[in-house]
């Protein structure tokens, strides 16, 4: 599958043509959580679980819809915030993804997965110093080589940026 955004009951990917039937087990899980939501509309866990199922099956719009419904029940639930952040990231809405990851990070202070996502997103948007802060913290605590590489890349990019600013200022003065 090419990671295209799929909708419920879609038989083929509209981008690559891949067959995408959901397994009987996944369909049963969807049905169970929809029934729970119908009988207990304020049951946040079923919205989150349904969101996760949709997200795992690349139905991003449906996943986001469920996580947003969960957030109307509890707008500060960290798992819901992470779910929303993942959806926005998959939809290439990096600014919204960052916003929700930051909110989740406020709730899950020491969550390495969230911090890793923040390091990556800050890198993607060119904020190498913030990326470096998160990457360095994770690397020191876990020896995650990917974060070590990200740290090194951030240093190089930040040095190049500072050097370019310095040259630009020298040209203006001289």
């Amino acid at each position: 599958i090419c990671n295209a955004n799929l909708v419920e009951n879609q038989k083929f990917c509209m981008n690559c043509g891949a067959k995408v039937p959901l397994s009987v087990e996944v369909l049963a899980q969807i049905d169970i959580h929809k029934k729970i939501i119908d009988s207990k509309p304020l049951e946040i866990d079923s919205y989150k679980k349904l969101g996760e199922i949709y997200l795992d099956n690349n139905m991003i719009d449906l996943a986001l819809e469920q996580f947003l419904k969960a957030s109307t029940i509890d707008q500060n639930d960290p798992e819901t915030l992470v779910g929303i952040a993942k959806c926005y990231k998959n939809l290439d809405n990096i600014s919204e993804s960052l916003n929700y990851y930051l909110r989740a990070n406020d709730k899950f202070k020491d969550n390495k997965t969230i911090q890793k996502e923040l390091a990556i997103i800050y890198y993607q948007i060119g904020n190498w110093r913030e990326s470096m802060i998160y990457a360095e913290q994770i690397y020191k605590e876990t020896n995650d080589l990917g974060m070590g590489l990200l740290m090194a890349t951030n240093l190089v990019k930040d040095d190049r940026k500072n050097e370019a600013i310095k040259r630009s200022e020298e040209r203006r003065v001289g």
Side-chain angles (χ1 to χ4, degrees):
I1 296 178
C2 68
N3 288 330
N5 197 10
L6 306 176
V7 295
E8 192 173 7
N9 297 324
Q10 187 172 336
K11 303 286 184 210
F12 298 94
C13 174
M14 300 305 278
N15 285 349
C16 69
K19 223 177 180 182
V20 290
L22 296 175
S23 70
V24 173
E25 294 83 14
V26 170
L27 291 171
Q29 288 179 359
I30 290 170
D31 189 50
I32 288 167
H33 290 289
K34 283 183 174 182
K35 286 179 180 174
I36 292 171
I37 289 168
D38 285 344
S39 65
K40 299 177 184 175
L42 297 179
E43 174 58 46
I44 191 171
D45 290 337
S46 287
Y47 290 103
K48 291 188 300 189
K49 184 62 180 164
L50 199 50
E52 290 169 14
I53 293 167
Y54 287 139
L55 191 58
D56 289 344
N57 287 282
N58 204 32
M59 294 182 280
I60 310 303
D61 288 333
L62 292 172
L64 180 58
E65 180 182 325
Q66 295 307 311
F67 287 121
L68 289 173
K69 286 179 181 176
S71 75
T72 64
I73 297 168
D74 182 356
Q75 63 183 355
N76 293 313
D77 178 69
E79 293 168 350
T80 300
L81 296 171
V82 169
I84 295 170
K86 286 179 182 179
C87 290
Y88 279 127
K89 187 173 182 189
N90 278 297
L91 293 169
D92 292 325
N93 188 336
I94 300 302
S95 63
E96 280 298 311
S97 180
L98 176 60
N99 176 39
Y100 280 94
Y101 273 124
L102 287 170
R103 286 178 57 194
N105 191 51
D106 286 343
K107 308 296 177 201
F108 280 135
K109 287 289 184 200
D110 295 323
N111 186 295
K112 300 302 170 233
T113 303
I114 294 170
Q115 292 173 353
K116 190 174 190 175
E117 286 297 327
L118 285 168
I120 292 166
I121 289 172
Y122 277 123
Y123 176 82
Q124 289 174 330
I125 63 174
N127 188 334
W128 300 300
R129 288 192 177 149
E130 284 296 318
S131 178
M132 178 67 139
I133 291 167
Y134 288 104
E136 184 176 22
Q137 185 176 351
I138 294 167
Y139 181 72
K140 283 180 179 178
E141 294 177 18
T142 66
N143 282 335
D144 182 318
L145 294 179
M147 289 294 106
L149 180 59
L150 187 61
M151 282 173 41
T153 305
N154 284 330
L155 283 173
V156 169
K157 289 188 176 268
D158 199 41
D159 285 347
R160 286 182 184 161
K161 179 180 168 185
N162 289 338
E163 186 62 33
I165 291 169
K166 184 179 173 184
R167 277 182 287 188
S168 175
E169 289 173 355
E170 287 172 355
R171 277 185 243 148
R172 274 188 277 165
V173 172

